[in-house]
Amino acid sequence: MNILIMGGPGAGKGTMSAKIVEKFNVNHISTGDIFRSEIGKGTALGMEAKSFMDKGLLVPDEVVNNMVKSYLEKLEDKKNGFLLDGYPRTLDQAKAFDALAEGSELAIDKVIALEIDFEKLADRVTGRRICKECGEIYHIKSKPSKTDNVCDVCGGELFQRKDDTVESLTVRLEEYSSQTAPVLDYYDSKGIVTRIDASQPIDSVWNDTLTALEK
């Protein structure tokens, strides 16, 4: 099964992705993974992408699409499919990838869209604290550390990311919505999107996600 997971900043994609990978034994793939792999190996596509990045330019959709396709085709362990995270980001990417994947084992079967309203998301994001040492994530309300600003796991110092503010969140959400709303509409027309209320407790979000993927 090939899955695409979508959701704005703070919607819980990381948590759900980890659970999906563990349950269904699929490859978890992000565009970051692909770029690092292709550039690190010095592939033609990787070097082409790097030439744009070195100039501070966005990598064209055509290059990104071909990199994703090439990376997926070369996976040594195909497992039971893949979970795409962070791609496709735009309608053009979605259409192009579908065209590239048509008739192959790379076609997307399911789309999980994690949705949460702004007020709940703002509370979740602005209350988030992260350990500088081990990366453990806390929340000042729902998952506070036993000692203020001290990690329960390793004793490291907790901090708030610079972009975990209402102002930054507003900008990121507007960008996300403008880019991804057409992508969701596109996959909706194919009947493969399940929208999940991500404001629920984690167990409830997972139960809804699991139900959608097991249909």
Side-chain angles (χ1 to χ4, degrees), residues 15-28 79-80 83 206 210:
T15 300
M16 288 305 111
S17 293
K19 289 180 175 291
I20 290 170
V21 169
E22 181 180 5
K23 173 67 177 178
F24 294 97
N25 190 32
V26 293
N27 289 287
H28 184 197
K79 294 188 176 180
N80 295 316
L83 171 68
W206 172 236
L210 189 57

Side-chain angles (χ1 to χ4, degrees), residues 9 128 161 163-164 168-176:
R128 184 163 53 191
R161 294 193 321 187
D163 58 353
D164 280 353
S168 178
L169 178 63
T170 301
V171 173
R172 289 155 66 200
L173 275 178
E174 286 176 350
E175 181 181 6
Y176 171 79

Side-chain angles (χ1 to χ4, degrees), residues 41-81:
K41 292 177 180 176
T43 67
L45 286 169
M47 292 301 96
E48 187 175 1
K50 188 174 184 297
S51 70
F52 289 97
M53 295 164 67
D54 287 346
K55 297 173 186 175
L57 302 174
L58 290 175
V59 180
D61 284 348
E62 181 181 1
V63 178
V64 176
N65 293 331
N66 283 317
M67 283 177 69
V68 172
K69 181 173 184 285
S70 172
Y71 182 87
L72 294 175
E73 288 176 338
K74 291 186 294 188
L75 280 174
E76 293 181 4
D77 183 0
K78 299 293 185 184
K79 294 188 176 180
N80 295 316

Side-chain angles (χ1 to χ4, degrees), residues 84-202:
L84 275 180
D85 180 357
Y87 173 92
R89 290 182 181 273
T90 67
L91 180 58
D92 286 344
Q93 285 183 356
K95 288 181 175 179
F97 182 74
D98 274 7
L100 289 170
E102 187 175 4
S104 76
E105 60 182 11
L106 301 180
I108 293 172
D109 302 305
K110 303 266 188 177
V111 178
I112 298 296
L114 301 176
E115 301 186 330
I116 182 172
D117 68 46
F118 181 80
E119 287 186 5
K120 292 179 179 177
L121 185 57
D123 182 67
R124 179 182 292 182
V125 170
T126 57
R128 184 163 53 191
R129 300 292 185 270
I130 303 171
C131 177
K132 288 183 177 180
E133 301 299 325
C134 70
E136 184 73 12
I137 298 174
Y138 297 87
H139 190 278
I140 58 176
K141 294 181 181 178
S142 61
K143 187 189 173 184
S145 57
K146 294 175 182 177
T147 303
D148 285 349
N149 296 318
V150 178
C151 178
D152 296 342
V153 177
C154 72
E157 181 185 353
L158 305 185
F159 75 103
Q160 181 182 28
R161 294 193 321 187
K162 290 182 179 179
D163 58 353
D164 280 353
T165 64
V166 171
E167 294 76 17
S168 178
L169 178 63
T170 301
V171 173
R172 289 155 66 200
L173 275 178
E174 286 176 350
E175 181 181 6
Y176 171 79
S177 297
S178 65
Q179 285 189 340
T180 58
V183 177
L184 276 174
D185 289 343
Y186 172 72
Y187 286 119
D188 250 336
S189 70
K190 296 175 173 289
I192 60 174
V193 176
T194 300
R195 298 173 185 267
I196 307 288
D197 177 6
S199 67
Q200 306 175 90
I202 291 175

